[in-house]
mmCIF file of all heavy atoms in Angstrom:
data_model
loop_
_atom_site.group_PDB
_atom_site.id
_atom_site.type_symbol
_atom_site.label_atom_id
_atom_site.label_comp_id
_atom_site.label_asym_id
_atom_site.label_seq_id
_atom_site.Cartn_x
_atom_site.Cartn_y
_atom_site.Cartn_z
ATOM 1 N N MET A 1 109.287 102.886 5.631
ATOM 2 C CA MET A 1 107.989 102.461 6.246
ATOM 3 C C MET A 1 108.289 101.253 7.199
ATOM 4 O O MET A 1 108.684 100.205 6.721
ATOM 5 C CB MET A 1 107.071 102.060 5.086
ATOM 6 C CG MET A 1 105.869 101.303 5.450
ATOM 7 S SD MET A 1 104.782 100.635 4.251
ATOM 8 C CE MET A 1 105.945 99.638 3.254
ATOM 9 N N PRO A 2 108.162 101.496 8.424
ATOM 10 C CA PRO A 2 108.317 100.439 9.421
ATOM 11 C C PRO A 2 107.255 99.241 9.371
ATOM 12 O O PRO A 2 106.251 99.478 8.883
ATOM 13 C CB PRO A 2 108.315 101.203 10.797
ATOM 14 C CG PRO A 2 107.407 102.337 10.569
ATOM 15 C CD PRO A 2 107.665 102.734 9.097
ATOM 16 N N PHE A 3 107.694 98.194 9.977
ATOM 17 C CA PHE A 3 106.700 97.120 10.191
ATOM 18 C C PHE A 3 106.085 97.238 11.537
ATOM 19 O O PHE A 3 106.613 97.939 12.296
ATOM 20 C CB PHE A 3 107.553 95.833 10.027
ATOM 21 C CG PHE A 3 107.813 95.410 8.567
ATOM 22 C CD1 PHE A 3 108.676 96.044 7.832
ATOM 23 C CD2 PHE A 3 107.006 94.384 8.051
ATOM 24 C CE1 PHE A 3 108.901 95.707 6.489
ATOM 25 C CE2 PHE A 3 107.213 94.012 6.683
ATOM 26 C CZ PHE A 3 108.177 94.724 5.997
ATOM 27 N N VAL A 4 104.934 96.603 11.639
ATOM 28 C CA VAL A 4 104.049 96.717 12.850
ATOM 29 C C VAL A 4 103.649 95.364 13.273
ATOM 30 O O VAL A 4 103.309 94.468 12.440
ATOM 31 C CB VAL A 4 102.831 97.583 12.445
ATOM 32 C CG1 VAL A 4 101.853 97.709 13.614
ATOM 33 C CG2 VAL A 4 103.231 98.955 11.983
ATOM 34 N N CYS A 25 115.136 95.975 16.626
ATOM 35 C CA CYS A 25 114.034 96.932 16.812
ATOM 36 C C CYS A 25 112.873 96.281 17.572
ATOM 37 O O CYS A 25 111.920 97.010 17.851
ATOM 38 C CB CYS A 25 113.610 97.474 15.501
ATOM 39 S SG CYS A 25 112.877 96.292 14.401
ATOM 40 N N ILE A 35 107.463 96.546 17.461
ATOM 41 C CA ILE A 35 108.638 96.965 16.696
ATOM 42 C C ILE A 35 108.691 98.493 16.929
ATOM 43 O O ILE A 35 107.723 99.246 16.725
ATOM 44 C CB ILE A 35 108.393 96.666 15.231
ATOM 45 C CG1 ILE A 35 108.363 95.207 14.976
ATOM 46 C CG2 ILE A 35 109.487 97.431 14.406
ATOM 47 C CD1 ILE A 35 108.084 94.712 13.533
ATOM 48 N N ASP A 36 109.925 98.962 17.153
ATOM 49 C CA ASP A 36 110.145 100.341 17.274
ATOM 50 C C ASP A 36 110.258 100.937 15.853
ATOM 51 O O ASP A 36 111.130 100.609 15.131
ATOM 52 C CB ASP A 36 111.493 100.599 18.078
ATOM 53 C CG ASP A 36 111.771 101.989 18.291
ATOM 54 O OD1 ASP A 36 111.319 102.953 17.618
ATOM 55 O OD2 ASP A 36 112.599 102.239 19.258
ATOM 56 N N PRO A 37 109.348 101.843 15.555
ATOM 57 C CA PRO A 37 109.336 102.440 14.191
ATOM 58 C C PRO A 37 110.504 103.277 13.863
ATOM 59 O O PRO A 37 110.860 103.401 12.710
ATOM 60 C CB PRO A 37 107.987 103.255 14.147
ATOM 61 C CG PRO A 37 107.699 103.542 15.599
ATOM 62 C CD PRO A 37 108.236 102.381 16.474
ATOM 63 N N ASP A 38 111.135 103.822 14.934
ATOM 64 C CA ASP A 38 112.327 104.659 14.742
ATOM 65 C C ASP A 38 113.581 103.865 14.496
ATOM 66 O O ASP A 38 114.560 104.299 13.912
ATOM 67 C CB ASP A 38 112.639 105.618 15.972
ATOM 68 C CG ASP A 38 111.470 106.593 16.161
ATOM 69 O OD1 ASP A 38 110.848 107.039 15.136
ATOM 70 O OD2 ASP A 38 111.148 106.915 17.315
ATOM 71 N N GLU A 39 113.565 102.555 14.878
ATOM 72 C CA GLU A 39 114.676 101.697 14.640
ATOM 73 C C GLU A 39 114.606 100.680 13.453
ATOM 74 O O GLU A 39 115.521 100.380 12.836
ATOM 75 C CB GLU A 39 114.929 100.816 15.909
ATOM 76 C CG GLU A 39 115.343 101.554 17.144
ATOM 77 C CD GLU A 39 116.683 102.304 16.992
ATOM 78 O OE1 GLU A 39 117.552 101.751 16.335
ATOM 79 O OE2 GLU A 39 116.840 103.384 17.482
ATOM 80 N N CYS A 40 113.300 100.437 13.067
ATOM 81 C CA CYS A 40 113.003 99.573 11.979
ATOM 82 C C CYS A 40 113.617 100.054 10.691
ATOM 83 O O CYS A 40 113.363 101.212 10.368
ATOM 84 C CB CYS A 40 111.506 99.213 11.865
ATOM 85 S SG CYS A 40 111.039 98.158 10.527
ATOM 86 N N ILE A 41 114.294 99.262 9.956
ATOM 87 C CA ILE A 41 114.904 99.752 8.637
ATOM 88 C C ILE A 41 114.121 99.131 7.379
ATOM 89 O O ILE A 41 114.639 99.248 6.294
ATOM 90 C CB ILE A 41 116.412 99.349 8.554
ATOM 91 C CG1 ILE A 41 116.652 97.885 8.621
ATOM 92 C CG2 ILE A 41 117.236 100.199 9.688
ATOM 93 C CD1 ILE A 41 118.011 97.488 8.340
ATOM 94 N N ASP A 42 112.997 98.578 7.677
ATOM 95 C CA ASP A 42 112.141 98.042 6.587
ATOM 96 C C ASP A 42 112.902 96.982 5.683
ATOM 97 O O ASP A 42 112.810 96.947 4.517
ATOM 98 C CB ASP A 42 111.658 99.259 5.702
ATOM 99 C CG ASP A 42 110.648 98.797 4.649
ATOM 100 O OD1 ASP A 42 109.849 97.912 4.944
ATOM 101 O OD2 ASP A 42 110.535 99.378 3.716
ATOM 102 N N CYS A 43 113.638 96.074 6.459
ATOM 103 C CA CYS A 43 114.404 95.108 5.746
ATOM 104 C C CYS A 43 113.516 93.952 5.159
ATOM 105 O O CYS A 43 114.007 93.119 4.378
ATOM 106 C CB CYS A 43 115.546 94.624 6.570
ATOM 107 S SG CYS A 43 115.006 93.586 8.006
ATOM 108 N N THR A 44 112.335 93.829 5.801
ATOM 109 C CA THR A 44 111.279 92.812 5.396
ATOM 110 C C THR A 44 111.743 91.358 5.994
ATOM 111 O O THR A 44 110.938 90.425 5.658
ATOM 112 C CB THR A 44 111.073 92.646 3.911
ATOM 113 O OG1 THR A 44 112.193 92.006 3.246
ATOM 114 C CG2 THR A 44 110.811 93.997 3.239
ATOM 115 N N CYS A 46 111.631 90.149 9.038
ATOM 116 C CA CYS A 46 110.871 89.630 10.142
ATOM 117 C C CYS A 46 109.474 89.035 9.647
ATOM 118 O O CYS A 46 108.972 88.046 10.294
ATOM 119 C CB CYS A 46 110.687 90.651 11.203
ATOM 120 S SG CYS A 46 109.738 92.077 10.628
ATOM 121 N N GLU A 47 108.841 89.684 8.716
ATOM 122 C CA GLU A 47 107.536 89.348 8.362
ATOM 123 C C GLU A 47 107.366 87.886 8.036
ATOM 124 O O GLU A 47 106.425 87.294 8.572
ATOM 125 C CB GLU A 47 107.072 90.292 7.143
ATOM 126 C CG GLU A 47 105.555 90.035 6.663
ATOM 127 C CD GLU A 47 105.215 90.893 5.519
ATOM 128 O OE1 GLU A 47 106.120 91.361 4.878
ATOM 129 O OE2 GLU A 47 103.994 91.070 5.427
ATOM 130 N N ILE A 55 102.829 90.333 11.631
ATOM 131 C CA ILE A 55 103.682 91.444 11.279
ATOM 132 C C ILE A 55 103.313 91.847 9.844
ATOM 133 O O ILE A 55 103.238 91.082 8.989
ATOM 134 C CB ILE A 55 105.181 91.101 11.344
ATOM 135 C CG1 ILE A 55 105.577 90.601 12.826
ATOM 136 C CG2 ILE A 55 106.066 92.196 10.960
ATOM 137 C CD1 ILE A 55 106.989 90.078 12.961
ATOM 138 N N TYR A 56 103.191 93.238 9.750
ATOM 139 C CA TYR A 56 102.756 93.763 8.490
ATOM 140 C C TYR A 56 103.497 95.149 8.209
ATOM 141 O O TYR A 56 103.814 95.773 9.189
ATOM 142 C CB TYR A 56 101.374 94.148 8.545
ATOM 143 C CG TYR A 56 100.424 92.953 8.509
ATOM 144 C CD1 TYR A 56 99.964 92.491 9.795
ATOM 145 C CD2 TYR A 56 99.911 92.318 7.347
ATOM 146 C CE1 TYR A 56 99.192 91.365 9.865
ATOM 147 C CE2 TYR A 56 99.013 91.204 7.468
ATOM 148 C CZ TYR A 56 98.653 90.804 8.669
ATOM 149 O OH TYR A 56 97.866 89.693 8.754
ATOM 150 N N PRO A 57 103.778 95.399 7.047
ATOM 151 C CA PRO A 57 104.307 96.847 6.661
ATOM 152 C C PRO A 57 103.270 97.863 7.223
ATOM 153 O O PRO A 57 101.984 97.510 7.152
ATOM 154 C CB PRO A 57 104.443 96.823 5.177
ATOM 155 C CG PRO A 57 104.473 95.393 4.702
ATOM 156 C CD PRO A 57 103.613 94.650 5.749
ATOM 157 N N GLU A 58 103.593 99.000 7.594
ATOM 158 C CA GLU A 58 102.661 99.936 8.174
ATOM 159 C C GLU A 58 101.575 100.261 7.185
ATOM 160 O O GLU A 58 100.447 100.363 7.659
ATOM 161 C CB GLU A 58 103.510 101.184 8.537
ATOM 162 C CG GLU A 58 102.706 102.204 9.188
ATOM 163 C CD GLU A 58 103.500 103.483 9.478
ATOM 164 O OE1 GLU A 58 104.530 103.389 10.063
ATOM 165 O OE2 GLU A 58 103.032 104.567 9.088
ATOM 166 N N ASP A 59 101.832 100.308 5.906
ATOM 167 C CA ASP A 59 100.800 100.580 4.892
ATOM 168 C C ASP A 59 99.865 99.478 4.622
ATOM 169 O O ASP A 59 98.860 99.627 4.007
ATOM 170 C CB ASP A 59 101.387 101.010 3.591
ATOM 171 C CG ASP A 59 102.001 102.452 3.726
ATOM 172 O OD1 ASP A 59 101.764 103.129 4.712
ATOM 173 O OD2 ASP A 59 102.840 102.820 2.775
ATOM 174 N N ASP A 60 100.151 98.278 5.181
ATOM 175 C CA ASP A 60 99.365 97.109 4.814
ATOM 176 C C ASP A 60 98.705 96.445 6.244
ATOM 177 O O ASP A 60 98.268 95.377 6.166
ATOM 178 C CB ASP A 60 100.210 95.956 4.224
ATOM 179 C CG ASP A 60 100.709 96.350 2.865
ATOM 180 O OD1 ASP A 60 99.932 97.143 2.234
ATOM 181 O OD2 ASP A 60 101.719 95.862 2.402
ATOM 182 N N VAL A 61 98.764 97.162 7.262
ATOM 183 C CA VAL A 61 98.114 96.700 8.502
ATOM 184 C C VAL A 61 96.649 96.455 8.166
ATOM 185 O O VAL A 61 95.984 97.302 7.550
ATOM 186 C CB VAL A 61 98.269 97.740 9.640
ATOM 187 C CG1 VAL A 61 97.427 97.412 10.772
ATOM 188 C CG2 VAL A 61 99.750 97.859 10.054
ATOM 189 N N ILE A 69 99.659 100.626 15.000
ATOM 190 C CA ILE A 69 100.786 101.481 14.512
ATOM 191 C C ILE A 69 101.320 102.343 15.701
ATOM 192 O O ILE A 69 102.386 102.276 16.030
ATOM 193 C CB ILE A 69 100.453 102.229 13.284
ATOM 194 C CG1 ILE A 69 100.067 101.353 12.158
ATOM 195 C CG2 ILE A 69 101.518 103.172 12.861
ATOM 196 C CD1 ILE A 69 99.462 101.966 10.968
#
Side-chain angles (χ1 to χ4, degrees):
M1 168 183 55
F3 279 72
V4 177
C25 66
I35 294 174
D36 183 338
D38 295 329
E39 295 295 324
C40 181
I41 59 170
D42 191 27
C43 70
T44 73
C46 62
E47 183 181 21
I55 301 174
Y56 294 88
E58 184 177 309
D59 290 345
D60 294 335
V61 169
I69 297 169

